[in-house]
mmCIF file of all heavy atoms in Angstrom:
data_model
loop_
_atom_site.group_PDB
_atom_site.id
_atom_site.type_symbol
_atom_site.label_atom_id
_atom_site.label_comp_id
_atom_site.label_asym_id
_atom_site.label_seq_id
_atom_site.Cartn_x
_atom_site.Cartn_y
_atom_site.Cartn_z
ATOM 1 N N ALA H 11 -1.889 43.717 -28.138
ATOM 2 C CA ALA H 11 -1.807 42.240 -28.023
ATOM 3 C C ALA H 11 -0.328 41.904 -27.797
ATOM 4 O O ALA H 11 0.551 42.442 -28.429
ATOM 5 C CB ALA H 11 -2.338 41.587 -29.281
ATOM 6 N N HIS H 34 3.754 42.820 -16.452
ATOM 7 C CA HIS H 34 4.086 42.942 -15.040
ATOM 8 C C HIS H 34 2.778 42.874 -14.284
ATOM 9 O O HIS H 34 1.712 43.121 -14.786
ATOM 10 C CB HIS H 34 4.775 44.284 -14.761
ATOM 11 C CG HIS H 34 6.100 44.397 -15.399
ATOM 12 N ND1 HIS H 34 7.190 43.668 -15.030
ATOM 13 C CD2 HIS H 34 6.495 45.208 -16.452
ATOM 14 C CE1 HIS H 34 8.207 43.981 -15.800
ATOM 15 N NE2 HIS H 34 7.819 44.946 -16.641
ATOM 16 N N LEU H 67 -14.481 16.134 -8.468
ATOM 17 C CA LEU H 67 -15.926 15.973 -8.803
ATOM 18 C C LEU H 67 -16.146 14.702 -9.608
ATOM 19 O O LEU H 67 -17.074 13.934 -9.342
ATOM 20 C CB LEU H 67 -16.366 17.212 -9.585
ATOM 21 C CG LEU H 67 -17.908 17.336 -9.831
ATOM 22 C CD1 LEU H 67 -18.617 17.486 -8.462
ATOM 23 C CD2 LEU H 67 -18.187 18.561 -10.701
ATOM 24 N N LEU H 68 -15.269 14.422 -10.554
ATOM 25 C CA LEU H 68 -15.362 13.179 -11.361
ATOM 26 C C LEU H 68 -15.218 11.951 -10.460
ATOM 27 O O LEU H 68 -16.007 10.975 -10.618
ATOM 28 C CB LEU H 68 -14.351 13.226 -12.464
ATOM 29 C CG LEU H 68 -14.562 14.158 -13.659
ATOM 30 C CD1 LEU H 68 -13.361 14.156 -14.575
ATOM 31 C CD2 LEU H 68 -15.837 13.776 -14.401
ATOM 32 N N ILE H 89 -11.991 16.546 -20.622
ATOM 33 C CA ILE H 89 -13.233 17.355 -20.501
ATOM 34 C C ILE H 89 -12.953 18.834 -20.607
ATOM 35 O O ILE H 89 -13.674 19.573 -21.354
ATOM 36 C CB ILE H 89 -13.921 16.983 -19.187
ATOM 37 C CG1 ILE H 89 -14.450 15.579 -19.194
ATOM 38 C CG2 ILE H 89 -15.066 18.013 -18.899
ATOM 39 C CD1 ILE H 89 -15.011 15.106 -17.901
ATOM 40 N N ASN H 172 -5.965 0.543 -46.133
ATOM 41 C CA ASN H 172 -6.479 1.803 -45.561
ATOM 42 C C ASN H 172 -5.496 2.549 -44.683
ATOM 43 O O ASN H 172 -5.834 3.576 -44.127
ATOM 44 C CB ASN H 172 -7.765 1.521 -44.800
ATOM 45 C CG ASN H 172 -8.916 1.142 -45.652
ATOM 46 O OD1 ASN H 172 -9.350 1.941 -46.500
ATOM 47 N ND2 ASN H 172 -9.402 -0.105 -45.532
ATOM 48 N N VAL H 195 3.870 1.011 -12.497
ATOM 49 C CA VAL H 195 2.399 1.145 -12.616
ATOM 50 C C VAL H 195 1.702 0.017 -11.916
ATOM 51 O O VAL H 195 0.710 0.200 -11.170
ATOM 52 C CB VAL H 195 2.003 1.277 -14.075
ATOM 53 C CG1 VAL H 195 0.464 1.181 -14.218
ATOM 54 C CG2 VAL H 195 2.494 2.573 -14.687
ATOM 55 N N GLY H 211 -0.640 -10.501 -5.761
ATOM 56 C CA GLY H 211 0.097 -9.258 -5.850
ATOM 57 C C GLY H 211 1.593 -9.475 -5.992
ATOM 58 O O GLY H 211 2.244 -8.810 -6.818
ATOM 59 N N SER H 225 9.710 -5.065 -22.736
ATOM 60 C CA SER H 225 9.171 -3.868 -23.381
ATOM 61 C C SER H 225 10.274 -2.869 -23.714
ATOM 62 O O SER H 225 10.381 -2.364 -24.830
ATOM 63 C CB SER H 225 8.140 -3.198 -22.497
ATOM 64 O OG SER H 225 7.098 -4.127 -22.149
ATOM 65 N N PRO H 318 20.848 4.729 -3.250
ATOM 66 C CA PRO H 318 20.768 3.762 -2.149
ATOM 67 C C PRO H 318 19.369 3.842 -1.489
ATOM 68 O O PRO H 318 18.939 4.901 -1.075
ATOM 69 C CB PRO H 318 21.847 4.257 -1.192
ATOM 70 C CG PRO H 318 22.835 4.964 -2.036
ATOM 71 C CD PRO H 318 22.017 5.605 -3.097
ATOM 72 N N SER H 335 5.232 16.476 -6.201
ATOM 73 C CA SER H 335 4.899 16.008 -7.523
ATOM 74 C C SER H 335 3.487 15.445 -7.642
ATOM 75 O O SER H 335 2.703 15.839 -8.537
ATOM 76 C CB SER H 335 5.904 14.976 -8.029
ATOM 77 O OG SER H 335 5.870 13.808 -7.188
ATOM 78 N N ALA H 342 -1.015 18.104 -13.321
ATOM 79 C CA ALA H 342 -0.894 18.931 -14.509
ATOM 80 C C ALA H 342 -0.408 18.115 -15.697
ATOM 81 O O ALA H 342 -0.899 18.307 -16.840
ATOM 82 C CB ALA H 342 0.056 20.080 -14.245
ATOM 83 N N LEU H 398 -6.151 -9.531 -15.495
ATOM 84 C CA LEU H 398 -6.758 -8.165 -15.524
ATOM 85 C C LEU H 398 -5.763 -7.151 -15.006
ATOM 86 O O LEU H 398 -5.689 -6.029 -15.522
ATOM 87 C CB LEU H 398 -8.020 -8.162 -14.708
ATOM 88 C CG LEU H 398 -9.186 -8.938 -15.231
ATOM 89 C CD1 LEU H 398 -10.326 -9.000 -14.224
ATOM 90 C CD2 LEU H 398 -9.688 -8.338 -16.554
ATOM 91 N N VAL H 412 2.859 10.315 -24.858
ATOM 92 C CA VAL H 412 3.049 11.761 -24.975
ATOM 93 C C VAL H 412 4.347 12.074 -25.732
ATOM 94 O O VAL H 412 4.388 12.918 -26.652
ATOM 95 C CB VAL H 412 3.022 12.452 -23.597
ATOM 96 C CG1 VAL H 412 3.503 13.897 -23.719
ATOM 97 C CG2 VAL H 412 1.651 12.383 -22.978
ATOM 98 N N LYS H 459 -9.168 -21.746 13.853
ATOM 99 C CA LYS H 459 -8.574 -22.061 15.137
ATOM 100 C C LYS H 459 -9.068 -21.104 16.228
ATOM 101 O O LYS H 459 -9.154 -19.897 16.013
ATOM 102 C CB LYS H 459 -7.077 -22.020 15.048
ATOM 103 C CG LYS H 459 -6.480 -22.986 14.076
ATOM 104 C CD LYS H 459 -6.444 -24.413 14.603
ATOM 105 C CE LYS H 459 -5.376 -24.534 15.668
ATOM 106 N NZ LYS H 459 -5.226 -25.904 16.155
ATOM 107 N N LEU H 461 -8.967 -20.605 20.860
ATOM 108 C CA LEU H 461 -8.309 -21.029 22.103
ATOM 109 C C LEU H 461 -9.078 -22.159 22.758
ATOM 110 O O LEU H 461 -8.540 -22.985 23.496
ATOM 111 C CB LEU H 461 -8.215 -19.804 23.039
ATOM 112 C CG LEU H 461 -7.234 -18.739 22.610
ATOM 113 C CD1 LEU H 461 -7.451 -17.472 23.474
ATOM 114 C CD2 LEU H 461 -5.828 -19.199 22.705
ATOM 115 N N GLN H 523 16.643 -14.396 6.884
ATOM 116 C CA GLN H 523 16.886 -14.101 5.493
ATOM 117 C C GLN H 523 16.877 -12.613 5.247
ATOM 118 O O GLN H 523 17.631 -12.066 4.472
ATOM 119 C CB GLN H 523 15.809 -14.763 4.604
ATOM 120 C CG GLN H 523 15.830 -16.276 4.599
ATOM 121 C CD GLN H 523 14.819 -16.874 3.672
ATOM 122 O OE1 GLN H 523 14.223 -16.184 2.825
ATOM 123 N NE2 GLN H 523 14.533 -18.181 3.826
ATOM 124 N N ALA H 537 14.963 -7.173 20.668
ATOM 125 C CA ALA H 537 13.779 -8.017 20.824
ATOM 126 C C ALA H 537 14.081 -9.465 20.478
ATOM 127 O O ALA H 537 13.632 -10.389 21.160
ATOM 128 C CB ALA H 537 12.650 -7.478 19.952
ATOM 129 N N THR H 579 -2.151 -20.868 13.981
ATOM 130 C CA THR H 579 -2.054 -20.286 15.305
ATOM 131 C C THR H 579 -3.418 -20.230 15.992
ATOM 132 O O THR H 579 -4.458 -20.164 15.348
ATOM 133 C CB THR H 579 -1.489 -18.875 15.226
ATOM 134 O OG1 THR H 579 -2.290 -18.069 14.359
ATOM 135 C CG2 THR H 579 -0.061 -18.909 14.682
ATOM 136 N N ARG H 642 0.242 -10.595 38.660
ATOM 137 C CA ARG H 642 -1.168 -10.603 39.080
ATOM 138 C C ARG H 642 -2.081 -10.389 37.847
ATOM 139 O O ARG H 642 -2.005 -9.386 37.158
ATOM 140 C CB ARG H 642 -1.440 -9.507 40.070
ATOM 141 C CG ARG H 642 -0.556 -9.599 41.311
ATOM 142 C CD ARG H 642 -0.626 -8.319 42.150
ATOM 143 N NE ARG H 642 -0.124 -7.168 41.392
ATOM 144 C CZ ARG H 642 -0.149 -5.923 41.853
ATOM 145 N NH1 ARG H 642 -0.667 -5.662 43.032
ATOM 146 N NH2 ARG H 642 0.312 -4.945 41.095
ATOM 147 N N GLY H 650 -20.700 -14.619 27.104
ATOM 148 C CA GLY H 650 -20.554 -14.435 25.638
ATOM 149 C C GLY H 650 -19.375 -15.244 25.123
ATOM 150 O O GLY H 650 -18.548 -15.723 25.857
ATOM 151 N N ASP H 690 -22.152 -20.418 28.952
ATOM 152 C CA ASP H 690 -21.318 -19.699 29.946
ATOM 153 C C ASP H 690 -21.226 -20.562 31.204
ATOM 154 O O ASP H 690 -20.170 -20.771 31.762
ATOM 155 C CB ASP H 690 -21.877 -18.326 30.229
ATOM 156 C CG ASP H 690 -21.805 -17.397 29.078
ATOM 157 O OD1 ASP H 690 -21.020 -17.662 28.132
ATOM 158 O OD2 ASP H 690 -22.561 -16.402 29.063
ATOM 159 N N PRO H 756 -14.608 1.229 18.835
ATOM 160 C CA PRO H 756 -15.519 0.089 18.743
ATOM 161 C C PRO H 756 -14.797 -1.240 18.594
ATOM 162 O O PRO H 756 -15.330 -2.297 18.951
ATOM 163 C CB PRO H 756 -16.344 0.433 17.466
ATOM 164 C CG PRO H 756 -16.235 1.886 17.280
ATOM 165 C CD PRO H 756 -14.861 2.239 17.764
ATOM 166 N N PRO H 799 -14.290 -26.118 17.210
ATOM 167 C CA PRO H 799 -14.248 -25.296 18.383
ATOM 168 C C PRO H 799 -15.385 -25.559 19.305
ATOM 169 O O PRO H 799 -16.484 -25.879 18.859
ATOM 170 C CB PRO H 799 -14.285 -23.900 17.783
ATOM 171 C CG PRO H 799 -14.958 -23.990 16.484
ATOM 172 C CD PRO H 799 -14.571 -25.377 15.996
#
Side-chain angles (χ1 to χ4, degrees):
H34 296 291
L67 190 63
L68 287 174
I89 293 175
N172 289 298
V195 170
S225 304
S335 63
L398 291 173
V412 170
K459 298 282 287 185
L461 292 168
Q523 294 182 15
T579 57
R642 302 167 300 175
D690 294 341

